[in-house]
Amino acid sequence: MTDKLTRPRRRRRLLRIVLLLAAVVILGTAGAGWWTYSHLDGNIDSVDLDQAIEADSRPPKVAPLARNILVLGSDSRAGANAELDHGDVGGARSDTAMLVHIPEGRARATAVSIPRDTLITRPECKDGEGRSVPSAQRVMFNSVYTLAGPACVVKTVELLSGIRVDHFVEVDFAGFKGLVDALGGVTVTLDKPMTGAKGGLRLDAGTHRLDGTDALTFVRTRYGYGDGSDLGRIGLQQQFLMAMLSEIKKQDVLGNPARLYRLADAGTKALTTDSDLASLSALSEFARSMQGVDPATMETVMLPVAYDKVDRNRVVVAQPQADQLWEALRTDRKIPASAKDSPAKAG
């Protein structure tokens, strides 16, 4: 755990940003024509946060025009994806989570990533079936999604931060398979061979054009490339997503109605949102509102954490740094340097 936390985190942060940018670029590129495909609204899954979370348990909105968006990158491991990780693990998990704060004016943004191994207090929640899930202490953050679903993750983040979550966007990574096929493939370049170990993809070093099926295997490959660690897999996912963004930008999607439809169809199937965003028009408007945010100036920070004293393979929220971070976001102030320091960095 020490080695993982002391390694540079730029790749992890960039992956989270690229996940969001992928959704925004897709929505923004296709948005101008999506009104003609109103029936695609039915592809979008949604979660009614107001119904799932008791109003009196939620933090108040501080700045009416600011927006706080919880972005989850989900990894469904049931059914077709199970073979990529060598076993059917029921349900889904969310190993990527970030709270994106966009202040009034929407000219900048701050993304706070929450480490998956952080031990937190899970509040009492309702799961996707409306059943009550009791509160619990010292549970891993990424277990909340698996046990109780995305609404409980929202409630957990609100309890953790004291910040009202305005919108929720979940990007199903497996959903990018359809996007790759809609684009006609994505080109990636490897500087070393991928051996195909444990059911992974076998590729020589060099440039390859991947279809949707191979792209999904590519981003799930762990043991057959590099050091076989999860960090290595994150690097492959980052590489693939950057290549996909490049493909989207260079294609004349709006000039090709058939491809626009396929891209919109695949994109909506990959998303789950809160009910306020669960339409093509709402998503397009949201994408346009984000266009003023320059990703080059987006500030990315990690929630300050320290090693747990009982289990060194887990981390806990570091204080007072975390409170300083959340307070800066609530009041739209610059995040102080002290709030960006994680004691766990020192190992």
Side-chain angles (χ1 to χ4, degrees):
M1 184 71 178
T2 301
D3 291 339
K4 290 182 180 178
L5 284 172
T6 53
R7 293 178 184 179
R9 293 182 176 83
R10 181 174 180 81
R11 288 190 303 175
R12 288 183 177 183
R13 293 174 181 171
L14 182 57
L15 174 62
R16 291 172 170 85
I17 300 304
V18 171
L19 275 170
L20 177 63
L21 288 179
V24 170
V25 168
I26 292 164
L27 296 174
T29 300
W34 275 10
W35 63 272
T36 62
Y37 306 116
S38 59
H39 64 282
L40 292 178
D41 283 355
N43 284 346
I44 305 171
D45 290 329
S46 65
V47 176
D48 190 336
L49 298 180
D50 291 331
Q51 182 178 14
I53 306 175
E54 303 82 358
D56 58 2
S57 70
R58 306 193 70 184
K61 289 183 66 68
V62 177
L65 298 181
R67 289 293 179 267
N68 298 296
I69 306 155
L70 181 64
V71 179
L72 300 181
S74 71
D75 179 12
S76 175
R77 303 183 72 190
N81 290 344
E83 62 188 51
L84 299 176
D85 247 349
H86 326 298
D88 190 351
V89 182
R93 64 182 180 180
S94 177
D95 287 344
T96 299
M98 64 178 175
L99 183 63
V100 181
H101 174 70
I102 306 172
E104 295 185 355
R106 304 194 184 186
R108 58 185 177 88
T110 301
V112 180
S113 61
I114 303 174
R116 50 168 284 178
D117 293 339
T118 306
L119 296 176
I120 51 88
T121 296
R122 185 188 68 230
E124 182 179 356
C125 296
K126 294 179 182 177
D127 65 14
E129 304 298 325
R131 295 169 300 201
S132 180
V133 178
S135 63
Q137 296 182 339
R138 289 181 56 81
V139 299
M140 281 179 55
F141 176 78
N142 75 331
S143 71
V144 177
Y145 181 97
T146 304
L147 179 65
C152 193
V153 179
V154 170
K155 188 173 182 180
T156 300
V157 171
E158 289 185 339
L159 176 66
L160 184 68
S161 65
I163 292 174
R164 176 71 168 253
V165 174
D166 299 294
H167 294 300
F168 157 77
V169 177
E170 177 183 337
V171 183
D172 179 0
F173 202 86
F176 283 106
K177 174 179 179 294
L179 289 174
V180 173
D181 285 333
L183 288 167
V186 170
T187 300
V188 297
T189 300
L190 297 176
D191 57 4
K192 64 185 76 171
M194 186 174 285
T195 66
K198 294 189 178 182
L201 191 63
R202 181 181 296 275
L203 294 172
D204 295 330
T207 299
H208 303 271
R209 185 78 173 179
L210 303 182
D211 62 12
T213 299
D214 284 344
L216 183 56
T217 308
F218 180 87
V219 300
R220 294 298 303 134
T221 293
R222 176 176 176 179
Y223 298 104
Y225 191 75
D227 61 4
S229 70
D230 198 49
L231 284 179
R233 177 161 56 188
I234 288 172
L236 288 176
Q237 292 173 352
Q238 171 194 329
Q239 180 182 0
F240 168 72
L241 287 169
M242 292 295 286
M244 188 180 70
L245 276 177
S246 176
E247 193 71 38
I248 292 169
K249 289 180 178 180
K250 77 179 183 181
Q251 290 193 17
D252 182 18
V253 176
L254 291 178
N256 187 329
R259 179 162 291 179
L260 171 61
Y261 176 86
R262 292 195 299 270
L263 190 64
D265 188 40
T268 51
K269 288 177 180 177
L271 293 177
T272 299
T273 72
D274 62 275
S275 54
D276 288 342
L277 289 181
S279 70
L280 297 174
S281 59
L283 283 169
S284 297
E285 182 179 350
F286 167 66
R288 287 192 295 270
S289 73
M290 289 281 289
Q291 289 178 353
V293 178
D294 183 357
T297 62
M298 182 181 289
E299 185 174 19
T300 60
V301 298
M302 187 182 75
L303 175 66
V305 293
Y307 288 107
D308 181 54
K309 294 181 180 179
V310 177
D311 184 353
R312 294 283 291 181
N313 290 318
R314 303 287 180 261
V315 294
V316 294
V317 176
Q319 297 294 2
Q321 296 94 325
D323 281 347
Q324 294 171 354
L325 170 64
W326 299 131
E327 177 64 18
L329 295 187
R330 284 193 295 266
T331 58
D332 278 345
R333 291 187 292 106
K334 183 177 180 181
I335 300 173
S338 59
K340 301 176 184 179
D341 181 44
S342 276
K345 289 180 180 179

